[in-house]
Amino acid sequence: MNKSVCCVALLLSGFTSGVFAESSKIQIDAGKFQMGCSQGDNDCESDEGISGGIAVDVPAFLIDKHEVTVAEYQVCIEAGNCQRPKDHKRNQYCNLGAEGRGNHPINCVDWQQALDFCRAKGGRLPFEAEWEKAARANTLTRYPWGQEVSCKQAILDDGKTMGSVPNEPDGCGEDRTWPIGSHAENAYGLHDMHGNAGEWTMNWYAKNGLERYANGDLIGPDQGRQRVVRGGSWDENKAYLRSSFRNVKPPVSGRSVYGSIGFRCAYDVK
């Protein structure tokens, strides 16, 4: 059997059986955490709440260790469970179809495309409060490693790091995403929660979202105009990578290209 055909067959078998997915999940235990504006963070916007955050109680859940990769998403397409998103032929920053990017995060995906993938794995997208709890990893600072971020910790546009693309600091000088897991995991064992690709969450955006979550409503409004995107990305500056920053995008890209957005899946604890 052709090696590539063999590997795709194995991936498809693992995907549909759940074996492939199980090895990459991390359980986050139930409990409260401080969500929102970190103490001493002067970059917080009004929808990030009060300085020092607000206590939000989150039930136990599972979340993917890594952002979903191009190779994993391609398996879902081949299985007939996922639609093909915008690809490298459409835009140079889209990873699907780009040579050598199988282990990069899938990007240029609409919200429903991300959700369909997660449902095919028996999961869903993370709720916004789940995402922040996982990203903070029991920390109270702007980032899980402290008050500042650079290309030593995450893939971003830090305004100074250059690489293979002349005069281009996006993606730490590469002007694209990096392979998943290129930097150290956080204290919960999760990679790329900050930078590389921004990540879709389940929630519609609400300016008072944190208040709703603190009152026990982790789902938030049942309709809206924009979905919440978390974590910042390869072409965004350090303020966008803060643990509390709430980005928003319409769930359907339309004529736009969401080259900065990918996702990871979450799962209920059974």
Side-chain angles (χ1 to χ4, degrees), residues 33-37 48-57 210-211 214-215:
F33 81 107
Q34 291 300 113
M35 183 175 185
C37 185
E48 296 175 48
I50 61 174
S51 179
I54 186 171
V56 176
D57 194 14
L210 272 64
E211 296 174 18
N215 288 324

Side-chain angles (χ1 to χ4, degrees), residues 50-99:
I50 61 174
S51 179
I54 186 171
V56 176
D57 194 14
V58 178
F61 65 99
L62 298 163
I63 190 167
D64 285 345
K65 183 180 181 72
H66 296 285
E67 294 169 333
V68 174
T69 66
V70 171
E72 289 172 321
Y73 196 92
Q74 181 64 46
V75 167
C76 191
I77 294 173
E78 296 291 339
N81 294 320
C82 292
Q83 292 185 343
R84 186 177 182 88
K86 293 168 183 170
D87 60 19
H88 195 63
K89 290 182 179 179
R90 171 67 179 271
N91 185 280
Q92 65 173 327
Y93 296 117
C94 297
N95 288 333
L96 185 67
E99 184 177 357

Side-chain angles (χ1 to χ4, degrees), residues 2 15 34 42 178 217 269:
N2 178 278
F15 188 92
Q34 291 300 113
N42 295 323
W178 286 41
D217 176 17
V269 175

